[in-house]
Amino acid sequence: MPMLARWLAALCVAFVCAVAPVRAAPDYPAFTGLVVDDAHVLSSDDRAALTRKLEDLQQKTGVQFAVATVPSLGGLEIEPYANALFRKWGVGQKGANNGLLLILAPNERKLRFEVGYGLEGAMTDAQSKLILRNSMVPKLKANDPAGALKAGVDDAIAVLTNKDAALPQAAGHDDSLSLTTFFVIFFVGVLLILVVFILIARAVRRSGGTWTSSSSGTGWQWGSAAGGVSSGSDTSTGSSSGGDSFSGGGGGDSGGGGASDSY
């Protein structure tokens, strides 16, 4: 009987595997230029105008900025799809990793900036989100994908060339709210630190330890002055790093930075 049960279980698994649909791998477009319009939302003039802007940016700054429209994300969310496409294309210079990818999936109504490691300081997640939400989404909702891509490219170039002062701000945005949130977080953090130090001090007093500081260094001294054991070294250690090293398949690599939106 147990043998029969095992055979029946194996047959069930084989049947399920045979009839279950197999998800095809996502179809990533080939990198044929700085503007790849596989979703066919741009005219030839639109593609040429965007390409000239992106080529000019790359010539002047070394930043490689690519734009892609895709007919389908292949069942993936836009974040892993954009990250995989970025790596497949190797956007950016190898070693510098100064690549930027703007991707639009009109069928899923999603868009994303994917930012290379080397640009994460210049093109922050907040700046990416601001451009998507305030410059591109309104145009996409108005069925103007070409205008949305143009606005996204223009604003991103403004950020990368330190001309971001003119970037659109969110309608009704209240900076005082953000400032209030910052101070709340700051004071809560300070309070937590004080609580931790108080708990540590109580634990030290219960164990008979003291914190000593002298020209030879700082450290915990446990036990009494007469019979205790003291440590002349600091219990905290520091480390330094010379930075990470990244390489791509002939180009840049993605840090997963950026922002996504939908419309």
Side-chain angles (χ1 to χ4, degrees), residues 60-263:
K60 290 180 178 178
T61 67
V63 173
Q64 188 175 56
F65 184 2
V67 173
T69 71
V70 295
S72 172
L73 296 174
L76 296 178
E77 292 297 325
I78 194 167
E79 291 83 3
Y81 185 97
N83 189 276
L85 183 62
F86 193 109
R87 294 176 182 273
K88 180 179 177 66
W89 283 4
V91 184
Q93 296 174 326
K94 186 174 182 179
N97 300 295
N98 54 348
L100 179 65
L101 173 65
L102 173 58
I103 181 171
L104 171 65
N107 286 338
E108 288 90 347
R109 304 179 71 84
K110 294 182 179 181
L111 61 161
R112 177 171 175 81
F113 274 113
E114 188 74 18
V115 183
Y117 287 110
L119 285 185
E120 288 182 336
M123 186 73 171
T124 65
D125 294 356
Q127 289 168 321
S128 299
K129 186 69 173 183
L130 183 66
I131 295 172
L132 296 178
R133 175 51 55 93
N134 297 326
S135 296
M136 298 187 66
V137 166
K139 294 183 182 299
L140 290 167
K141 287 183 176 179
N143 197 27
D144 183 15
L149 290 170
K150 178 182 181 298
V153 167
D154 288 346
D155 286 352
I157 289 176
V159 171
L160 296 172
T161 55
N162 295 319
K163 298 176 182 177
D164 56 311
L167 283 181
Q169 299 297 316
H173 179 67
D174 185 5
D175 288 335
S176 63
L177 179 61
S178 298
L179 191 61
T180 301
T181 303
F182 168 78
F183 279 114
V184 169
I185 295 173
F186 174 78
F187 284 118
V188 169
V190 171
L191 181 62
L192 289 175
I193 291 173
L194 289 175
V195 170
V196 170
F197 273 109
I198 290 172
L199 292 175
I200 291 175
R202 289 180 177 177
V204 169
R205 283 197 298 270
R206 285 197 297 268
S207 61
T210 58
W211 175 263
T212 62
S213 177
S214 64
S215 59
S216 61
T218 58
W220 291 110
Q221 181 176 344
W222 301 98
S224 63
V229 179
S230 63
S231 172
S233 60
D234 197 337
T235 57
S236 62
T237 59
S239 63
S240 61
S241 173
D244 295 325
S245 175
F246 306 101
S247 62
D253 199 359
S254 171
S260 305
D261 213 328
S262 58
Y263 60 98

Side-chain angles (χ1 to χ4, degrees), residues 48-61:
L50 287 176
T51 300
R52 284 194 296 270
K53 291 180 180 181
L54 300 177
E55 289 177 343
D56 183 64
L57 175 70
Q58 184 169 352
Q59 183 179 9
K60 290 180 178 178
T61 67

